[in-house]
Amino acid sequence: MCLGIPGKIVEIRDDEGLTMGVVDFGGVKREVCLAYVVDEVSVGDYAIVHVGFALSIVDEAEAMRTYEILRMMSETEGIESKGIESNDQMAEPPPNPARTEAGYP
Amino acid sequence: MRYLSEYRDPELARALLGRITSTATRRWVLMEVCGGQTHTIVRQGIDQILGGAVEMIHGPGCPVCVTPLEQIDRAIHLASRTDVIFTSFGDMLRVPGSETDLLKVRAEGGDVRVVYSPLDALELARRTPEKKVVFFAIGFETTAPANAMAVWRARELGVKNFSILASHVTVPPAMEAILESPDNRVEAFLAAGHVCAVMGWREYEPLAERYEVPVVVTGFEPVDLLEGILLAVRQLEEGRHQVENQYVRSVRKEGNFRAQEMMLRVFEPVDRSWRGIGTIPRSGLGLREEFSEFDAEMRFRLEAIRPSEPSECRAGEVLTGGIKPFDCPAFGNSCTPEHPLGAPMVSSEGACAAYFNYRRHQMATSSRAES
Ligand code: SF4
């Protein structure tokens, strides 16, 4: 129950004074409360959602930067590393419709 | 950028594994605090692949697992009342109480419903004014802002038939309790990323300082976890003990100010008993007095219940990293996900369930090979 899942905000509205919205988790849409991210949220952002509440907006620039650093490290490292032997060993994520197709642009 | 899949990239993972093994000059003992992280680690076999460089011990961060038995018994008592609709996150339904569980109460006619968000429970209360709707408010700092909002809204909208059974717990006091224990073996922590998305990470700085223990705020995908482990191992090798943030894309140092503010308005720190562990001072959140009309314990005058815990269950030791689930004699024998003796076998974040789901076959194979 404690899992937070990233999803894309596709709608923002006011519900009796509370900022609510719709978040798309790879095709599965859900009502989500946006009151805690109201200062920074716009349609198209990705948010970490937990029990129907957006807890933080994913910082895409930061995500990209970290990923690039890791990517470079993997290119310089690559072959010599031991451990995981084949790609199959990274098991597929659990069959949760909310997660499997959540593509980031 | 395809986010989730990239953080599951086997090549990145392999590179990180290589870095970790080449950095570690001895075997370090790390604890991941959050049950969601435990599942990824066990499912992907990260702890096994890294076995030579680090030992991963699994922490108490499974909210379902640490909700105390007396609170489960109270929930069962409320759910059995004919004037109550009892609402809860799905995971809680199969957690064994002293005598029964919420699922059985439902089968016997109790009105027990699973909700996705506490606001759904509030909405249900508005739609059914003739019933009293109680929400089982469990969880860490990730869930507390949501539950605080439900109570705040109930007051704002004048919903009189809504209350919560508050059983919130907070992470830093539990980490401190683990560090204080004479049997503590933890040398570095991977802190739970989403708890820090709410709280930020300042509150870990005094812990890192006082106990000289590195704390790395870490995400939940395999690559996140491996990077978190690498940062922790580097600190240990260099003799540093700082709070570092691996999960930069979602966690800011100050956390989410609005969520913290709402939590503070509605809740206050209270002593809380953790199932299998015992009472930890100021490790829980209870409703402030001005919200007592939304407190199910007050509204229904719930008495102190003295519960009886099944003697075989060693959840306390599992949750503090003292033993691994398969060291418990009941594991896979009298305790299975179908017939759980303890909460760690029920929850999707419980360590016992993770080992049962992902390790059972392998353990059976290796014991056959040995015999
Ligand atoms: S295997 Fe079952 S009985 Fe043993 S500690 Fe885990 S939950 Fe308790």
Side-chain angles (χ1 to χ4, degrees):
Chain A
M1 58 147 290
C2 208
L3 292 179
I5 300 170
K8 184 177 185 171
I9 294 162
V10 293
E11 192 187 313
I12 303 174
R13 64 184 157 73
D14 180 278
D15 188 350
E16 295 174 84
L18 191 65
T19 309
M20 296 291 292
V22 175
V23 174
D24 184 342
F25 302 97
V28 181
K29 290 189 179 148
R30 278 214 184 259
E31 281 282 295
V32 166
C33 178
L34 301 175
Y36 294 138
V37 292
V38 67
D39 312 310
E40 39 172 348
V41 68
S42 354
V43 168
D45 284 348
Y46 281 75
I48 298 292
V49 176
H50 171 66
V51 299
F53 282 70
L55 297 182
S56 80
I57 300 292
V58 179
D59 183 333
E60 204 160 344
E62 210 38 89
M64 199 72 94
R65 204 182 60 89
T66 317
Y67 188 76
E68 281 313 312
I69 295 173
L70 285 174
R71 193 77 263 164
M72 268 159 59
M73 188 200 79
S74 127
E75 268 151 29
T76 55
E77 193 102 11
I79 329 293
E80 60 192 280
S81 59
K82 38 206 173 285
I84 292 186
E85 279 131 26
S86 77
N87 288 13
D88 320 347
Q89 262 190 272
M90 297 304 285
E92 274 301 300
N96 178 345
R99 308 198 82 175
T100 42
E101 281 151 33
Y104 267 75
Chain B
M1 172 168 191
R2 286 187 59 85
Y3 230 177
L4 289 176
S5 59
E6 297 202 350
Y7 290 91
R8 288 170 186 160
D9 179 346
E11 248 172 65
L12 279 185
R14 209 172 299 134
L16 282 164
L17 284 167
R19 279 280 163 103
I20 295 165
T21 33
S22 61
T23 306
T25 58
R26 48 154 285 204
R27 194 165 185 248
W28 298 101
V29 181
L30 270 54
M31 176 179 272
E32 86 280 358
V33 172
C34 168
Q37 296 171 329
T38 303
H39 262 246
T40 305
I41 288 170
V42 176
R43 182 186 173 91
Q44 304 290 352
I46 289 173
D47 54 332
Q48 292 176 315
I49 300 168
L50 281 178
V54 294
E55 179 188 349
M56 296 306 299
I57 58 182
H58 314 306
C62 160
V64 173
C65 304
V66 300
T67 300
L69 187 56
E70 59 263 34
Q71 223 51 353
I72 310 272
D73 285 348
R74 285 195 177 113
I76 288 165
H77 167 83
L78 288 171
S80 314
R81 289 176 59 127
T82 51
D83 57 343
V84 164
I85 301 178
F86 194 82
T87 56
S88 166
F89 298 128
D91 288 18
M92 293 308 286
L93 266 52
R94 298 179 57 240
V95 176
S98 295
E99 271 147 32
T100 181
D101 58 52
L102 287 166
L103 208 57
K104 291 195 191 111
V105 171
R106 179 159 82 178
E108 286 155 14
D111 197 344
V112 179
R113 302 194 198 178
V114 172
V115 291
Y116 165 66
S117 157
L119 292 180
D120 296 342
L122 180 61
E123 194 47 42
L124 181 66
R126 293 178 82 188
R127 282 204 316 268
T128 43
E130 68 284 3
K131 290 273 192 173
K132 296 168 180 142
V133 173
V134 182
F135 175 67
F136 202 173
I138 67 150
F140 285 97
E141 294 95 321
T142 34
T143 322
N147 297 346
M149 180 64 85
V151 172
W152 183 264
R153 284 289 278 176
R155 192 171 73 168
E156 211 169 56
L157 300 168
V159 185
K160 301 277 177 225
N161 60 330
F162 177 76
S163 61
I164 68 168
L165 182 60
S167 205
H168 283 291
V169 280
T170 52
V171 172
M175 283 166 66
E176 182 155 20
I178 288 167
L179 290 166
E180 278 291 332
S181 147
D183 315 319
N184 172 48
R185 295 169 54 231
V186 177
E187 291 169 300
F189 281 105
L190 304 185
H194 293 151
V195 165
C196 298
V198 173
M199 300 305 293
W201 76 77
R202 277 179 215 276
E203 53 186 346
Y204 299 102
E205 281 172 341
L207 276 183
E209 187 60 37
R210 181 148 21 107
Y211 297 94
E212 303 192 347
V213 62
V215 177
V216 181
V217 178
T218 305
F220 298 82
E221 298 302 327
V223 167
D224 290 324
L225 284 157
L226 288 167
E227 197 190 4
I229 292 169
L230 175 61
L231 293 175
V233 167
R234 268 197 196 140
Q235 286 205 42
L236 289 163
E237 289 290 339
E238 292 165 14
R240 288 182 292 128
H241 42 84
Q242 291 155 338
V243 184
E244 261 181 300
N245 184 15
Q246 178 277 326
Y247 200 34
V248 200
R249 64 185 186 277
S250 297
V251 175
R252 339 264 183 258
K253 184 164 192 178
E254 311 71 37
N256 184 324
F257 169 71
R258 281 177 180 272
Q260 291 168 26
E261 193 182 44
M262 182 60 82
M263 277 167 72
L264 267 179
R265 278 190 200 151
V266 174
F267 295 124
E268 62 188 353
V270 292
D271 296 351
R272 178 75 76 208
S273 134
W274 295 53
R275 189 170 192 170
I277 299 175
T279 300
I280 305 176
R282 294 175 67 81
S283 68
L285 296 171
L287 282 167
R288 289 187 182 275
E289 191 160 0
E290 46 173 316
F291 291 96
S292 56
E293 59 174 311
F294 300 102
D295 188 340
E297 289 184 48
M298 304 278 206
R299 187 175 287 196
F300 297 94
R301 297 209 183 76
L302 296 179
E303 316 260 309
I305 299 178
R306 211 164 309 141
S308 53
E309 191 80 64
S311 52
E312 303 108 291
C313 180
R314 300 183 58 189
E317 289 159 272
V318 171
L319 291 168
T320 49
I323 62 168
K324 293 280 186 319
F326 47 67
D327 298 325
C328 169
F331 178 86
N333 299 314
S334 53
C335 182
T336 62
E338 277 80 62
H339 300 283
L341 286 181
M345 191 56 102
V346 177
S347 168
S348 54
E349 289 142 60
C352 298
Y355 276 71
F356 190 88
N357 290 332
Y358 307 129
R359 290 281 156 83
R360 188 171 31 127
H361 297 300
Q362 182 186 328
M363 273 157 29
T365 329
S366 68
S367 67
R368 261 203 304 279
E370 275 159 29
S371 61

